[in-house]
Each structure stands twice: as C-alpha cells, then as structure tokens.
Amino acid sequence: MAYYNSIRLGENFYCYMWLGRGNNCNTSFLPSVLRGERPHVLIDPGHIRNELGEPCFDSLTQAIEKDGFKIEDVGLVIVTHTHLDHFESIDLVVEKSGALLTLSREEDEFCNTVGKMFFQALGAKPPQVNPFFYLKEGDLSLGPQNKVAIQVLSTPGHSPGSICLYLKEEKILISGDVVFFGSIGRTDFPGGSPSLLRKSIDKLSQLDVEYLVPGHSTEAGNIIAGRDKVKRNFYMVKMMLI
Ligand SMILES: [Zn+2]
C-alpha cells in the first residue's frame, strides 16, 4: 500500500500527504534549493512508526526516492513544532544525511523541558534536538541567489514555539498544526493556548495564500487550493474560535 501521496505544487516544492490509517503528519520537501552536496530541505519528517505500527519514515524515504531524490541529500530540516508526529524521525534523517536542524527557540526550550516530560510520560522517547540555528519571525532566504524566499511566522497556540512557513513567490502556506481544511489545531496539549491560537490564525489569514498545506489531512481534505477557498476556510475556522 502507498502511505504517501506525492503532490508537486511548484518547481521546487513537493508535499507528501500521509495516507495511512494511524496518525502521522504531512511532510513538505524543497529539493535542490541549497548550495553544496546536500541541497534538499525537508519540513516535518514525521513519525518513525505510528501507534498502528505503520512504517512512516521508511515510506517517506521511498516516496521521496520515487520522485528521484534521496533522503541522504537533505541538508536542512525545518520543524514546525516538536510533537512526535512531526519530528520523531529527526534523528534518522540526521543519521542518514548529516542534515542541520532548525526550529524556534521557544519550541527548543519547550521540547527540552515540558515537552520531554510529556512524551516520556506517554512512554515515548523524544529524539535529540541539536538546532544549528533558531528560526525567528521574518524572512528566511534559502540557496544561492536567495532561490527560495520564505516568511517565517511565529504562531503559538497549538504548541508554544510553533512556526508556519509562507513561500512568498509560490504563495504556499505550510500551516503545521495551526489550521487545517475545515479545522484548527488542538490546544489541550501542554503549552497549548486557545487565545494564542486565535491570534496566530488571525495573523495567517492576512496572507495572500494560493495553496494552504496543512500538517494533517481532515475529513474535509488536505491541501486547500485557490485564494477564495483558502479565504473561506479562514472565515469558517475563525467561527470555531468565537
Ligand atoms: Zn502537533
């Protein structure tokens, strides 16, 4: 069975939409954007295996290979937040590729304190986190001649140091677990905050988005394509917060 559906949204942008029955996140992938021998950027590599034992990481590796790329050639991993279904496999990516890791300072602190205790209490072993640099709100240009222009948005609420990424040229919003198709991120995990989530969603709704790529699929769907549909989705999910 195929565990991922690969969708190409731009010259340098692929999404791997999780199709399994158990929980895992969607992954974004920007191939051939960095200088040097490991030019790929991976965003939210997901679980190693999920609660149903589905081989999340092996399947992701295969899906990427099917598109002609190798996980060994990933040079940078970006994590939207440190819930295990988004970043459990980070150690494996680093082991295979030597990739550097980046996330927000707030999320790194959370991950090393409350987050660690929370996941250990659930019987899970959180991965090692050794960030190379911290993501801050603002511009992040990747690759030679700033090949990819990204706007980093600080979006706490689901997790205290959660970030979203907006690819300016392609108008793609990688929304992590802040907003989904017809739904919003839960706020009942440690460090969650409904009022901060509301502010974060307000902030995201100001962007001019052509494709919204959420961290998880819902019954309504996964990628939201088209400005009007994205706007309608923001309108609808804001009502959930009133
Ligand atoms: Zn999450």
Side-chain angles (χ1 to χ4, degrees):
M1 114 155 228
Y3 283 105
Y4 284 96
N5 185 17
S6 163
I7 299 173
R8 190 176 187 183
L9 289 182
E11 201 195 326
N12 294 102
F13 189 86
Y14 289 73
C15 337
Y16 293 98
M17 311 311 291
W18 173 247
L19 300 174
R21 286 195 305 124
N23 182 36
N24 191 27
C25 73
N26 298 322
T27 295
S28 295
F29 184 62
L30 285 75
S32 312
V33 295
L34 304 175
R35 217 184 292 267
E37 286 174 5
R38 291 173 307 200
H40 310 327
V41 178
L42 191 63
I43 302 162
D44 283 358
H47 263 309
I48 300 172
R49 276 181 180 273
N50 62 11
E51 78 282 13
L52 298 182
E54 292 173 309
C56 304
F57 183 68
D58 286 348
S59 309
L60 177 68
T61 303
Q62 285 162 18
I64 288 173
E65 271 174 20
K66 232 176 152 188
D67 285 328
F69 307 105
K70 284 191 193 144
I71 202 99
E72 286 82 358
D73 297 336
V74 171
L76 180 69
V77 184
I78 300 175
V79 174
T80 61
H81 66 292
T82 57
H83 290 163
L84 290 181
D85 55 342
H86 288 252
F87 96 128
E88 186 187 33
S89 62
I90 184 77
D91 285 351
L92 294 181
V93 182
V94 170
E95 200 180 287
K96 281 176 183 279
S97 63
L100 305 172
L101 166 69
T102 183
L103 75 174
S104 74
R105 183 187 293 274
E106 295 78 10
E107 196 63 12
D108 187 29
E109 281 166 11
F110 166 76
C111 173
N112 282 307
T113 53
V114 181
K116 191 181 240 169
M117 290 188 308
F118 175 62
F119 288 115
Q120 281 170 345
L122 295 176
K125 189 172 165 274
Q128 281 290 323
V129 175
N130 296 308
F132 181 65
F133 65 94
Y134 286 127
L135 283 178
K136 280 192 225 136
E137 172 128 328
D139 291 339
L140 173 75
S141 296
L142 298 176
Q145 279 108 43
N146 301 331
K147 193 166 181 178
V148 182
I150 296 176
Q151 185 180 346
V152 178
L153 297 118
S154 166
T155 51
H158 171 70
S159 191
S162 151
I163 56 102
C164 292
L165 301 171
Y166 177 61
L167 277 66
K168 292 184 191 174
E169 200 167 311
E170 298 84 353
K171 296 187 166 57
I172 293 170
L173 175 64
I174 299 165
S175 66
D177 282 3
V178 177
V179 57
F180 310 109
F181 201 144
S183 186
I184 56 173
R186 52 194 290 187
T187 52
D188 56 338
F189 285 131
S193 159
S195 62
L196 288 179
L197 187 74
R198 179 200 307 258
K199 279 189 192 153
S200 295
I201 291 174
D202 264 339
K203 187 196 273 187
L204 295 179
S205 69
Q206 311 296 318
L207 299 166
D208 179 17
V209 178
E210 196 61 45
Y211 296 103
L212 187 142
V213 179
H216 296 275
S217 306
T218 61
E219 280 180 11
N222 45 50
I223 295 173
I224 308 176
R227 299 179 68 206
D228 293 344
K229 278 191 184 166
V230 172
K231 276 197 186 313
R232 240 178 290 151
N233 193 67
F234 274 118
Y235 181 74
M236 202 183 86
V237 297
K238 277 183 186 177
M239 291 201 294
M240 293 177 173
L241 288 158
I242 291 167

